[in-house]
Amino acid sequence: MDHLDRILLSGIYNVRKGKTQLHKWAERLVVLCGTCLIVSSVKDCQTGKMHILPLVGGKVEEVKRRQHSLAFSSAGAQAQTYHVSFETLAECQRWQRQASKVVSQRISTVDLSCYSLEEVPEHLFYSQDITYLNLRHNFMQLERPGGLDTLYRFSQLKGLNLSHNKLGLFPVLLCEISTLTELNLSCNGFHDLPSQIGNLLNLQTLCVDGNFLTTLPEELGNLQQLSSLGISFNNFSHIPEVYEKLTMLDKVVMAGNHLEVLNLGVLNRMSHIKHVDLRMNHLKTVVTENLEGNKYITHMDLRDNQLADLDLNSLCSLEQLHCERNQLRELTLSGFSLRTLYASSNRLTAVNVYPVPSQLTSLELSRNLLECVPDWACEAKKMEILDVSCNLLTEVPMRILSSLSLRKLMLGHNQVQSLPALVDHIPLEVLDIQHNLLTRLPDTLFSKALNLRYLNASANSLESLPSAGAGEESLSALQLLYLTNNLLTDQCVPVLVGHPHLRILHLANNQLQTFPASKLNKLEQLEELNLSGNKLKTIPTTIANCRRLHTLVAHSNNISIFPEILQLPQIQFVDLSCNDLTEILIPEALPATLQDLDLTGNTNLVLEHKTLDTFSHITTLKIDQKPLPTTDSTVTSTFWSHGLAEMAGQRNKLCVSALAVDNFAEGVGAVYGMFDGDRNEELPRLLQCTMADVLLEEVQQSTNDTVFMANTFLVSHRKLGMAGQKLGSSALLCYIRPDTADPTSSFSLTVANVGTCQAVLCRGGKPVPLSKVFSLEQDPEEAQRVKDQKAIITEDNKVNGVTCCTRMLGCTYLYPWILPKPHISATPLTIQDELLILGNKALWEYLSYTEAVNAVRHVQDPLAAAKKLCTLAQSYGCQDNVGAMVVYLNIGEEGCTCEMNGLTLPGPVGFASTTIIKDPPKPTTPSSSSGIASEFGSEMSTSEVSSEVGSTASDEHNTVGLDAGLLPRPERRCSLHPTPTSGVFQRQPSCATFSSNQSDNGLDSDDDQPVEGVITNGSKVEVEVDIHCCRGRDLENSPTLTENSPTPCPEEHARGSFFGIRRQNSVNSGILLPVSKDKMELQKSPSTSCLYGKKLSNGSIVPLEDSLNLIEVATEAPKKKTGYFAAPTQLEPEDQFVVPRDLEEEVKEQMKQHQEGRPEPEPREEDRTELPEEFDTAL
């Protein structure tokens, strides 16, 4: 019925109603729309009544008495006829052809779901052939002309879907549609069913899932043809007794209800019930009334309950049992008919099955606490699949490995040290023994397991591989071999030749130094080769013989020569990042299949323009970009660096995107994000492009991390627009910023996420999870919330069969089950924090937090670290999109910005910079682009902050700078080395807004140049002050003076004040910038004592701050005529530096150069005493 709203033909013609000639011809608008002929009662189509003639099943005939005329007739005893006269023969034939198609149609199914309808369209009632009507996801009303109470007019209606209409009350008149065989009323908020439902005697399927039902009426037992009854996700606390009367039912489907006790005696009285689905209830115990066994139940599903012990030995006909994700410690079953058992994700230490299940084919006991394989499992003669991964096994029974029926054996993530030797041939096809303690494989593994096609022995301690066979002709059928993260050397390579059918080979993170060309030449069937994380210097030229190769991953080696892979006809993906490539020799024409080429991390690689032009057709080309001159702060960039890796895996598209901004918000922070769209790539791309900008705007509005992070997610959710209606994406956002709340921390990390993307912080070598996984399986609270809101959770644990996530950005049509509200956590960063890992769902499914941290914490390059994580995930079995980002944190001694650690800092009043180096001194040139333009220092009390700020903008700044040259300058300290606070001095971020009527730009001096580092906006200037008390430390080596730059000398217990500019209306509102540190003793002054709500003399108001101590900056400071907030600095008795004797002469020489041609300022009275080894140095 998609064509109902589409007009097929229309025009104004002469029309006559009826078969006789009683009516006259008249011009009318005639429309052939959908399955109806519409004739207006007047000529104007905008007014008058519209006559609708259903054509389905009717007739279209040519009128012989009138030229170019057609007669349109409807079907049925009360058929009507309209004669329409056309002007031309062609027009008449066109209408006849189109109308004939409509007449021949037989509409039986009408789908009007998700149309926001309140009533059924009137013209549908003319179609008497409708047998199935879908009105799902609408707003249907009861008492309306086309409401639900009129559906009885469909005389042949057999199927009706009214789910998700929020009806509230059961439409009783539906019970009069006696022809109904299928009725779906899910998710409508019903609290009970009427007794009249017993009138639907032909009903075969009734679905009332997702309501608030607690009982079923007894009249329901009259429906003897009812073969399917769905009452999942209601409020039942027991199995309704009416099931005993419904003998045609063979299933009890009651998932998501409130059952706490399962009484097997009740099921014994229902001999017709074979399948029982009690998923996601609150079952804690199973009760057996008597010893009588149940011979009828064959399938039982008890997943996601709270069972601690389960004894179903009385179910002697049980063939399949699902009991995953309970709290089972012991499980007892009958083995007479058992075929499949799924009991993963419990706490099982024992599984008892008696007698031995002779029909058992599949046994899944992963993620438990088993220390050995059950004996009865070793004797099961028909078992084909055994999964005991993620247990505590230390050995594998010989009977298991030599089983003549076993085809798939999963032993990963145990503590197995060795495998038994094989004596006889076995049919094993898949063997997964990753993450064990194996040092060698059985010598006869490949010669006895001739059917073995998949072997994963990654993450062991293998040093060698067994031979493929005794003779030259190998019978090996091995196709997929994963040996990543072992101790394999070059000696294992010749063994690989014995597997000529290898298609996928992973040898990453081993100790390979060479790969013999003659050996690679024989692997002609190879399609995917991963050699990353070794010590290879070259890839053999014989790789050109691997004509089927489509993927080559060889990052993190020492490869200096580009391999000859661009001649391979099927090559698609090449990753040679983090190597030592210097040049690339490319053929004249590249293969058309090449889609992804990654050359990042090759610092010595230089690509010519011709080469870049040749690579232009590649879909994804990744190369290092040359650093561009920037004015961003270099202080923050020394604290963190990141690396990103994204791999599509077996998927043909990449649905993972990442966000990385190392210098966020004008260089005072960083933002990193990960977005996973699961099956769609559109939403991750949108979030990647917009979420940083949204965060930038929200941070301006609030300094509360919970507020601005939550708003960022909600705004981003709204900005998705139509794309976010049916599509959704997991999102993870990490924001690093200066910490204004914790005086002991320099930076804080705020993490927010929805969905399954996670962030893990490495602190002291240990993983610290910072995010929360919002999925039905891993978050019981979220699962309960979704259940309480009556969502339908399918058997694969997906909300409405769409997604396993309970919180996402997008998927708005699943509200309120799927929410965009994020989980938010804030963590102060310390010196112990080494790195931050961001990953999508696929990464954390195959890597534990501990393994991920241990794998990369000693890797020097963050790009190589991210690549390694993705490679490990793929080698461990991940075939989906995988994304990883590693952010190295340098919140420690190596990231220190003190002068002694060699960071270039701005010179006096921001005009010169000095580089101080610990190593043997070397003159350096002052840089004007040191990137710390927002930092400045001063030698003054708190009340004189305004004077120093103004002095940089005045026309006398040179004089001030020279005068300051006579003052002692302290050692600059970073926020990583604060002196333990003494007295009342604490970190006091403050901002004050000043107004000036002297000039348009807020400066009352003759100099039009703005203050460097002070942002002006009209007549307002904002200054942020951050005060610390820092402890100095001695320098190991005395630094050498840079030309025209004085030398700071260390002094024990030096104190400093830090001043940082906060830009008005910028993202840094309320956030401290990285600031320089100068030694001074803060003095209390009237300007710092009472500031709350004080009205300033210039008319501006200092805003109230509950948690911060405000510092009045400028209004009460003395002014000079030619400077804005300029005042002479005051010398403090302790502001003296001791110059080493070997540098005295050089310091004096520097001071003389500064003082030539200028009058010396008169020292204050308290500073007239001269010390023989103390000198004043310029700031």
Side-chain angles (χ1 to χ4, degrees):
M1 293 299 293
D2 293 336
H3 60 284
L4 279 175
D5 297 330
R6 183 162 51 91
I7 296 177
L8 302 178
L9 295 171
S10 64
I12 298 178
Y13 308 105
N14 288 318
V15 180
R16 190 189 74 185
K17 182 180 179 181
K19 296 181 179 180
T20 64
Q21 299 183 6
L22 297 178
H23 297 85
K24 297 182 180 180
W25 291 89
E27 284 191 347
R28 296 289 183 266
L29 173 68
V30 183
V31 178
L32 182 61
C33 179
T35 60
C36 300
L37 183 73
I38 303 176
V39 180
S40 64
S41 60
V42 294
K43 185 176 179 179
D44 189 356
C45 63
Q46 302 297 330
T47 60
K49 183 179 179 181
M50 306 298 289
H51 300 277
I52 300 177
L53 181 69
L55 294 179
V56 176
K59 294 184 299 182
V60 177
E61 299 174 329
E62 185 177 354
V63 179
K64 298 181 179 180
R65 297 181 180 180
R66 188 178 180 90
Q67 190 178 14
H68 310 324
S69 298
L70 296 175
F72 298 87
S73 302
S74 61
Q78 303 295 329
Q80 293 181 341
T81 302
Y82 280 90
H83 290 76
V84 180
S85 178
F86 301 94
E87 296 180 358
T88 63
L89 176 62
E91 197 170 14
C92 177
Q93 291 176 344
R94 184 169 65 251
W95 275 78
Q96 185 177 11
R97 287 194 303 267
Q98 195 73 313
S100 298
K101 295 179 182 179
V102 175
V103 167
S104 61
Q105 292 182 5
R106 290 294 182 270
I107 297 178
S108 60
T109 301
V110 177
D111 187 357
L112 293 176
S113 59
C114 305
Y115 275 99
S116 300
L117 298 176
E118 294 184 355
E119 59 183 28
V120 178
E122 178 65 24
H123 61 264
L124 280 185
F125 292 104
Y126 293 97
S127 302
Q128 298 300 317
D129 294 329
I130 294 178
T131 58
Y132 183 84
L133 180 60
N134 185 0
L135 296 171
R136 181 177 59 92
H137 271 295
N138 283 291
F139 303 95
M140 300 301 297
Q141 303 295 321
L142 298 178
E143 301 176 355
R144 292 186 69 116
L148 298 182
D149 290 344
T150 62
L151 294 183
Y152 66 89
R153 295 168 58 184
F154 294 105
S155 58
Q156 300 183 29
L157 191 63
K158 295 183 179 180
L160 178 61
N161 189 342
L162 287 171
S163 61
H164 300 88
N165 272 275
K166 301 180 181 180
L167 299 177
L169 296 176
F170 190 97
V172 181
L173 290 182
L174 292 181
C175 300
E176 297 181 5
I177 309 177
S178 59
T179 57
L180 279 179
T181 60
E182 181 180 346
L183 180 59
N184 190 339
L185 294 168
S186 301
C187 302
N188 277 292
F190 298 153
H191 287 79
D192 52 43
L193 297 180
S195 59
Q196 291 89 333
I197 198 171
N199 298 334
L200 300 175
L201 298 179
N202 293 321
L203 199 63
Q204 300 176 12
T205 301
L206 175 61
C207 184
V208 287
D209 298 333
N211 287 286
F212 298 93
L213 303 177
T214 56
T215 59
L216 293 178
E218 295 182 0
E219 291 77 6
L220 197 64
N222 299 335
L223 309 181
Q224 291 302 308
Q225 296 189 35
L226 193 66
S227 59
S228 177
L229 175 61
I231 56 174
S232 298
F233 301 98
N234 281 279
N235 295 339
F236 291 97
S237 59
H238 61 276
I239 300 177
E241 297 180 357
V242 73
Y243 270 99
E244 298 181 21
K245 300 180 181 179
L246 301 172
T247 56
M248 291 294 292
L249 290 177
D250 62 348
K251 297 180 181 179
V252 173
V253 184
M254 295 185 61
N257 279 278
H258 297 164
L259 276 71
E260 296 185 359
V261 178
L262 173 58
N263 192 337
L264 295 180
V266 175
L267 295 176
N268 290 340
R269 296 192 293 268
M270 305 175 186
S271 59
H272 52 283
I273 298 298
K274 296 181 179 180
H275 296 251
V276 179
D277 183 2
L278 298 176
R279 297 176 296 116
M280 305 186 75
N281 277 272
H282 303 298
L283 292 176
K284 298 180 180 178
T285 56
V286 176
V287 178
T288 304
E289 293 181 350
N290 48 53
L291 298 178
E292 182 181 358
N294 187 306
K295 300 179 181 180
Y296 313 107
I297 295 179
T298 60
H299 294 73
M300 179 80 74
D301 194 340
L302 301 175
R303 283 176 285 180
D304 299 288
N305 280 283
Q306 304 172 18
L307 296 169
D309 294 288
L310 182 59
D311 186 351
L312 298 178
N313 193 41
S314 61
L315 304 182
C316 55
S317 298
L318 188 65
E319 298 179 4
Q320 176 177 298
L321 173 64
H322 279 279
C323 57
E324 301 99 307
R325 293 180 295 278
N326 279 273
Q327 302 173 13
L328 294 176
R329 296 186 297 269
E330 188 171 355
L331 176 62
T332 303
L333 300 173
S334 171
F336 284 108
S337 304
L338 191 63
R339 295 179 181 271
T340 54
L341 172 59
Y342 303 96
S344 62
S345 302
N346 283 284
R347 303 174 183 174
L348 289 171
T349 57
V351 180
N352 304 313
V353 178
Y354 182 83
V356 174
S358 58
Q359 303 297 322
L360 184 67
T361 59
S362 179
L363 177 61
E364 182 176 330
L365 298 173
S366 61
R367 293 180 176 85
N368 281 286
L369 303 177
L370 297 175
E371 297 182 357
C372 61
V373 180
D375 291 337
W376 56 266
C378 302
E379 301 177 6
K381 301 302 182 181
K382 294 186 178 181
M383 186 167 60
E384 298 181 359
I385 301 174
L386 174 60
D387 187 353
V388 287
S389 57
C390 301
N391 278 280
L392 304 176
L393 303 181
T394 57
E395 61 179 2
V396 180
M398 179 63 184
R399 291 179 295 175
I400 288 292
L401 198 59
S402 60
S403 172
L404 298 179
S405 62
L406 195 63
R407 304 189 184 282
K408 182 177 181 179
L409 178 59
M410 312 295 289
L411 292 169
H413 296 271
N414 281 284
Q415 302 174 14
V416 179
Q417 298 182 4
S418 63
L419 295 178
L422 295 176
V423 179
D424 300 323
H425 290 280
I426 59 175
L428 193 65
E429 298 179 2
V430 176
L431 177 60
D432 190 335
I433 50 176
Q434 60 175 300
H435 287 87
N436 279 282
L437 305 176
L438 298 173
T439 57
R440 56 187 298 271
L441 297 176
D443 295 334
T444 57
L445 176 62
F446 296 128
S447 59
K448 298 299 181 181
L450 297 179
N451 294 333
L452 190 65
R453 56 181 177 81
Y454 175 96
L455 174 62
N456 194 330
S458 301
N460 281 282
S461 300
L462 299 177
E463 298 178 358
S464 61
L465 297 176
S467 174
E472 295 182 358
E473 293 294 332
S474 175
L475 300 177
S476 172
L478 191 64
Q479 299 181 17
L480 294 86
L481 180 58
Y482 298 89
L483 298 170
T484 295
N485 206 11
N486 279 284
L487 303 176
L488 298 174
T489 61
D490 302 350
Q491 298 178 356
C492 76
V493 178
V495 180
L496 300 176
V497 180
H499 306 287
H501 302 290
L502 268 182
R503 295 190 298 107
I504 297 178
L505 176 60
H506 282 221
L507 289 170
N509 297 104
N510 281 281
Q511 299 179 7
L512 301 179
Q513 296 184 358
T514 60
F515 202 107
S518 60
K519 307 304 179 184
L520 185 59
N521 187 32
K522 297 182 179 181
L523 300 177
E524 297 178 353
Q525 305 295 322
L526 207 58
E527 299 177 4
E528 179 178 328
L529 178 61
N530 194 323
L531 299 173
S532 58
N534 286 282
K535 302 177 182 178
L536 298 175
K537 295 183 179 179
T538 59
I539 299 293
T541 57
T542 52
I543 196 173
N545 294 330
C546 301
R547 308 294 291 176
R548 298 186 178 183
L549 190 70
H550 59 70
T551 300
L552 173 63
V553 181
H555 63 79
S556 306
N557 280 282
N558 300 322
I559 299 174
S560 57
I561 301 177
F562 192 83
E564 298 181 6
I565 56 174
L566 297 181
Q567 298 178 354
L568 297 176
Q570 299 183 21
I571 193 68
Q572 298 178 12
F573 180 88
V574 179
D575 187 352
L576 293 171
S577 58
C578 303
N579 279 286
D580 298 330
L581 295 176
T582 56
E583 61 179 356
I584 299 179
L585 299 178
I586 59 175
E588 295 181 357
L590 295 180
T593 57
L594 186 60
Q595 299 178 4
D596 196 311
L597 178 59
D598 193 344
L599 300 175
T600 54
N602 291 277
T603 56
N604 298 324
L605 179 62
V606 178
L607 296 179
E608 300 178 353
H609 291 288
K610 180 180 179 181
T611 304
L612 294 176
D613 292 340
T614 306
F615 287 155
S616 60
H617 81 280
I618 302 177
T619 304
T620 304
L621 175 62
K622 301 177 182 178
I623 58 176
D624 291 326
Q625 295 183 355
K626 296 181 180 180
L628 299 175
T630 178
T631 57
D632 294 338
S633 173
T634 58
V635 175
T636 55
S637 62
T638 63
F639 288 114
W640 45 74
S641 59
H642 80 278
L644 170 64
E646 298 170 337
M647 298 183 181
Q650 301 297 323
R651 301 263 296 276
N652 57 0
K653 62 179 180 179
L654 185 64
C655 299
V656 177
S657 296
L659 169 67
V661 184
D662 287 324
N663 291 299
F664 182 71
E666 301 168 2
V668 299
V671 171
Y672 304 101
M674 183 73 66
F675 314 104
D676 188 352
D678 191 19
R679 298 293 174 181
N680 79 88
E681 56 184 343
E682 181 178 359
L683 257 61
R685 298 291 186 270
L686 290 175
L687 294 172
Q688 178 191 33
C689 297
T690 60
M691 210 158 186
D693 294 335
V694 175
L695 176 63
L696 193 65
E697 295 175 1
E698 295 301 328
V699 172
Q700 292 179 345
Q701 307 300 323
S702 174
T703 58
N704 186 302
D705 48 13
T706 302
V707 174
F708 66 69
M709 271 297 191
N711 290 342
T712 298
F713 274 68
L714 294 177
V715 173
S716 300
H717 174 75
R718 187 180 69 248
K719 284 181 175 292
L720 293 176
M722 293 300 295
Q725 290 291 325
K726 290 189 176 182
L727 301 179
S729 174
S730 298
L732 168 66
L733 200 62
C734 302
Y735 177 32
I736 304 177
R737 60 169 180 162
D739 194 349
T740 60
D742 189 356
T744 63
S745 175
S746 54
F747 296 99
S748 67
L749 171 62
T750 304
V751 177
N753 80 291
V754 292
T756 54
C757 294
Q758 300 180 62
V760 174
L761 179 68
C762 174
R763 173 168 290 178
K766 303 296 182 182
V768 180
L770 301 178
S771 50
K772 183 178 181 180
V773 181
F774 289 103
S775 68
L776 294 172
E777 294 184 359
Q778 301 187 39
D779 193 341
E781 295 181 358
E782 281 293 291
Q784 186 61 45
R785 177 186 66 81
V786 173
K787 283 172 53 181
D788 293 342
Q789 293 172 343
K790 301 306 174 182
I792 305 300
I793 301 175
T794 53
E795 292 187 1
D796 54 354
N797 264 1
K798 292 185 176 181
V799 180
N800 276 26
V802 177
T803 175
C804 64
C805 298
T806 58
R807 298 194 186 185
M808 301 176 69
L809 297 184
C811 281
T812 54
Y813 81 105
L814 291 178
Y815 177 86
W817 309 314
I818 306 298
L819 301 176
K821 182 180 180 181
H823 169 267
I824 303 173
S825 65
T827 305
L829 295 178
T830 65
I831 298 179
Q832 295 181 337
D833 297 327
E834 302 175 17
L835 54 89
L836 176 67
I837 302 176
L838 288 73
N840 69 329
K841 176 184 177 181
L843 180 72
W844 299 115
E845 279 186 349
Y846 291 90
L847 267 75
S848 65
Y849 299 146
T850 302
E851 182 178 8
V853 165
N854 292 337
V856 300
R857 62 182 302 234
H858 297 300
V859 179
Q860 298 297 323
D861 184 8
L863 175 61
K867 293 278 188 181
K868 182 177 182 180
L869 290 178
C870 292
T871 297
L872 291 178
Q874 289 188 330
S875 295
Y876 295 162
C878 177
Q879 297 182 356
D880 207 343
N881 291 169
V882 58
M885 183 184 296
V886 178
V887 182
Y888 279 1
L889 301 174
N890 201 20
I891 316 298
E893 300 297 330
E894 296 179 356
C896 174
T897 59
C898 299
E899 286 183 335
M900 64 184 69
N901 282 350
L903 179 67
T904 303
L905 294 176
V909 294
F911 288 96
S913 300
T914 305
T915 302
I916 307 299
I917 306 176
K918 277 186 176 182
D919 297 332
K922 186 184 299 182
T924 57
T925 304
S927 173
S928 61
S929 61
S930 60
I932 319 181
S934 61
E935 299 182 8
F936 63 95
S938 63
E939 295 274 346
M940 57 187 172
S941 63
T942 306
S943 61
E944 296 165 343
V945 175
S946 60
S947 302
E948 184 64 12
V949 175
S951 66
T952 63
S954 67
D955 55 358
E956 297 181 359
H957 59 79
N958 290 331
T959 305
V960 175
L962 294 175
D963 292 343
L966 300 177
L967 302 178
R969 189 168 73 87
E971 169 197 357
R972 288 193 179 95
R973 305 302 300 273
C974 74
S975 58
L976 298 176
H977 304 98
T979 304
T981 56
S982 60
V984 297
F985 297 109
Q986 301 292 334
R987 190 173 194 175
Q988 300 174 356
S990 169
C991 67
T993 302
F994 312 107
S995 299
S996 172
N997 298 324
Q998 304 298 324
S999 62
D1000 291 338
N1001 61 359
L1003 303 177
D1004 58 357
S1005 66
D1006 297 332
D1007 190 357
D1008 291 335
Q1009 296 296 327
V1011 182
E1012 182 174 357
V1014 180
I1015 307 305
T1016 62
N1017 183 7
S1019 59
K1020 295 184 179 180
V1021 177
E1022 282 198 25
V1023 179
E1024 179 161 324
V1025 182
D1026 183 13
I1027 301 172
H1028 291 264
C1029 297
C1030 298
R1031 181 181 300 275
R1033 60 177 181 177
D1034 294 335
L1035 290 173
E1036 296 178 1
N1037 299 320
S1038 299
T1040 304
L1041 288 174
T1042 305
E1043 184 179 359
N1044 295 331
S1045 299
T1047 302
C1049 298
E1051 179 177 340
E1052 188 66 17
H1053 306 297
R1055 298 173 179 174
S1057 69
F1058 314 110
F1059 304 106
I1061 301 304
R1062 188 186 71 173
R1063 304 196 174 201
Q1064 185 177 2
N1065 298 329
S1066 72
V1067 71
N1068 306 325
S1069 301
I1071 302 177
L1072 290 178
L1073 298 175
V1075 290
S1076 60
K1077 305 174 173 62
D1078 297 308
K1079 187 194 65 161
M1080 64 176 290
E1081 183 69 34
L1082 295 175
Q1083 304 290 340
K1084 283 190 175 182
S1085 67
S1087 62
T1088 60
S1089 57
C1090 53
L1091 300 173
Y1092 296 96
K1094 180 177 179 179
K1095 186 173 182 179
L1096 305 182
S1097 58
N1098 58 8
S1100 63
I1101 303 295
V1102 177
L1104 292 176
E1105 299 279 348
D1106 296 334
S1107 60
L1108 304 178
N1109 296 323
L1110 297 182
I1111 300 175
E1112 185 174 352
V1113 177
T1115 55
E1116 298 176 344
K1119 297 182 180 179
K1120 290 185 178 181
K1121 294 182 180 180
T1122 57
Y1124 184 61
F1125 301 152
T1129 57
Q1130 302 297 320
L1131 193 65
E1132 296 294 337
E1134 294 185 9
D1135 289 343
Q1136 307 291 331
F1137 278 159
V1138 178
V1139 180
R1141 294 182 181 275
D1142 56 338
L1143 297 178
E1144 287 183 12
E1145 296 299 327
E1146 188 172 358
V1147 172
K1148 291 180 180 180
E1149 184 65 21
Q1150 295 288 339
M1151 299 306 302
K1152 288 181 180 178
Q1153 295 179 8
H1154 280 290
Q1155 296 173 6
E1156 287 179 1
R1158 297 183 300 129
E1160 293 188 11
E1162 295 184 9
R1164 294 177 300 173
E1165 187 69 26
E1166 58 269 24
D1167 295 328
R1168 293 183 182 274
T1169 304
E1170 296 183 0
L1171 297 178
E1173 296 181 0
E1174 295 183 356
F1175 299 89
D1176 293 342
T1177 57
L1179 178 63

